[in-house]
Amino acid sequence: MNELAQKEMPLVQERILKGLDFALPPALEAGEPPEARGLRRDDVRLMVSTIHDDRITHSRFHRLTEFLEAGDLLVINTSGTLNAAVPATRADGTPFELHLSTQLPTQFWVVEMRQVKGGETAPFFDLVPGERFSLPAGGAVTVHRPYCGQNRAGCESSRLWTASFDLPLPLVEYLDRHGQPIRYSYVVQGWPLEYYQTVYATEPGSAEMPSAGRAFTPELITRLVARGVQIAPVLLHTGVASLEAHEPPYEEFFRVPAPTAALVNQARAAGRRVIAVGTTVVRALESAVEPDGQVHGSCGWTDLVITADRPLRAVDGLLTGFHEPKATHLDMLAALAGFDHLELAYQAALEEKYLWHEFGDLHLILP
């Protein structure tokens, strides 16, 4: 192990990830894009942790080529981010902010209605089925019932609802004109949609940016390909944030092209590493894999939630951001790396003051 991995870690109430919980200092929440801090996209920090020996290395993202090998397969999510936050008004004049989340297999969407108070927004649970909210330029949204995923019971107080729209324009065009990117209180000011797009996004549909890929630049991708790293696309339109512990899984649209499935199968058969860029890629690939590990070209909606109790079959490594306390994404990471390795890595991230959230730093987990 290197010096950091060997040095004594401070005690944090038994285990840092006990109950998937830990203290995240507000100073470590990235409140603006790295460009606003005078950095290039690919100059954010990169922590590399290897599972087999618990080694931790600190670097910068533009040096990613030093940690990948010829023959590695990097799988990316080409979903583009929507201007998914739209001002809304209740019939009594109360201001709200509508957050689109996921388009369902029907004409309905999963949405979150957030009430505006003092310039901030917060989830609002006291909705009425059939209630209609006004949107800009004569648009409207009607909420129908709490969204319960495949489980129809026990979610009457859900923050997520099924909804339908009445808009004067096609949805994406309407959002481009009247919406803005979803942002939370740790982002101190609004930023244009371009700051929430990866350089390889091809198809709009995500409520929030598949942020693990944000730091890639065309130049870095060129250097990776020149090194012999293969890059293959999948698509998963990601919904709002991470599920909370009590919430049922919701469906998200995904597509694993047949050529990508073939590349994954070839890499694994040859003993080469398959590295997912983001938890969305893990979810897409694991939704298209058979128990024997074979990935098939697939397209549809998935409500798969990956936990430490379900071994990963298609992925060997993961590039991801740092996830909030109790986020269900941490359970997915545990399925890959185990809780002990995650505890070590997150201790190091906190000690070394890595930045969290979509504009923050990145963590590459290798076998």
Side-chain angles (χ1 to χ4, degrees):
M1 294 186 187
N2 64 9
E3 181 181 351
L4 176 61
Q6 288 176 336
K7 74 180 181 181
E8 182 178 351
M9 295 292 184
L11 294 177
V12 183
Q13 298 180 355
E14 302 178 23
R15 292 173 60 89
I16 189 172
L17 291 177
K18 184 176 182 181
L20 300 180
D21 196 9
F22 56 93
L24 177 61
L28 300 188
E29 298 186 281
E32 57 188 4
E35 295 93 320
R37 307 194 299 270
L39 303 175
R40 303 185 309 270
R41 277 191 177 224
D42 63 358
D43 203 32
V44 295
R45 298 173 70 194
L46 175 68
M47 183 171 76
V48 182
S49 66
T50 52
I51 301 168
H52 75 279
D53 61 359
D54 285 333
R55 182 179 180 83
I56 295 176
T57 304
H58 303 291
S59 188
R60 292 279 173 179
F61 191 76
H62 63 80
R63 299 175 65 181
L64 181 64
T65 52
E66 298 176 14
F67 304 100
L68 299 182
E69 304 167 355
D72 283 342
L73 177 62
L74 208 60
V75 186
I76 61 175
N77 180 8
T78 58
S79 177
T81 311
L82 298 168
N83 275 322
V86 182
T89 306
R90 209 174 195 180
D92 62 4
T94 304
F96 280 77
E97 186 169 274
L98 165 71
H99 286 185
L100 282 78
S101 179
T102 306
Q103 186 171 17
L104 296 173
T106 63
Q107 76 273 23
F108 295 103
W109 277 76
V110 177
V111 303
E112 180 183 16
M113 299 300 301
R114 296 178 70 90
Q115 189 168 4
V116 180
K117 291 183 176 180
E120 301 289 341
T121 69
F124 185 78
F125 297 92
D126 192 21
L127 297 173
V128 178
E131 191 170 4
R132 186 177 174 91
F133 292 76
S134 298
L135 302 177
V141 59
T142 301
V143 295
H144 297 287
R145 59 174 178 260
Y147 178 70
C148 303
Q150 300 298 319
N151 175 18
R152 302 306 315 166
C155 62
E156 289 77 10
S157 63
S158 174
R159 67 185 171 98
L160 301 176
W161 282 62
T162 58
S164 58
F165 291 93
D166 181 7
L167 302 175
L169 295 169
L171 180 67
V172 174
E173 184 179 350
Y174 181 84
L175 295 176
D176 284 344
R177 292 194 184 186
H178 303 290
Q180 60 185 358
I182 290 174
R183 68 182 177 97
Y184 298 108
S185 59
Y186 55 82
V187 178
V188 295
Q189 69 179 68
W191 295 92
L193 186 61
E194 64 199 62
Y195 286 92
Y196 291 86
Q197 298 289 14
T198 60
V199 298
Y200 47 70
T202 59
E203 186 174 328
S206 281
E208 297 188 7
M209 175 176 50
S211 55
R214 187 189 189 277
F216 282 95
T217 62
E219 296 78 12
L220 178 56
I221 292 172
T222 299
R223 287 195 285 117
L224 287 167
V225 172
R227 185 171 173 78
V229 175
Q230 293 181 295
I231 299 177
V234 299
L235 182 90
L236 187 140
H237 291 325
T238 183
V240 288
S242 173
L243 291 172
E244 296 179 11
H246 65 283
E247 292 180 332
Y250 53 77
E251 301 152 287
E252 292 174 319
F253 178 78
F254 80 101
R255 182 168 61 242
V256 176
T260 294
L263 286 172
V264 172
N265 293 334
Q266 292 165 12
R268 294 184 65 81
R272 295 183 279 112
R273 301 184 298 188
V274 177
I275 300 167
V277 177
T279 57
T280 59
V281 171
V282 177
R283 198 176 191 211
L285 289 177
E286 294 295 327
S287 296
V289 69
E290 298 294 335
D292 63 0
Q294 288 293 299
V295 177
H296 299 282
S298 302
C299 181
W301 278 261
T302 179
D303 63 356
L304 176 66
V305 174
I306 299 169
T307 70
D309 298 324
R310 181 200 181 281
L312 297 183
R313 303 185 181 110
V315 173
D316 304 299
L318 173 63
L319 176 69
T320 185
F322 293 97
H323 300 287
E324 294 181 349
K326 296 186 178 180
T328 52
H329 289 150
L330 287 170
D331 225 355
M332 178 189 290
L333 268 60
L336 174 68
F339 286 107
D340 289 340
H341 183 78
L342 278 187
E343 178 178 352
L344 182 69
Y346 271 67
Q347 290 268 20
L350 291 168
E351 285 192 343
E352 297 296 318
K353 296 181 170 53
Y354 279 77
L355 296 180
W356 260 247
H357 305 311
E358 66 268 26
F359 294 139
D361 299 315
L362 291 167
H363 180 196
L364 177 62
I365 305 173
L366 295 176

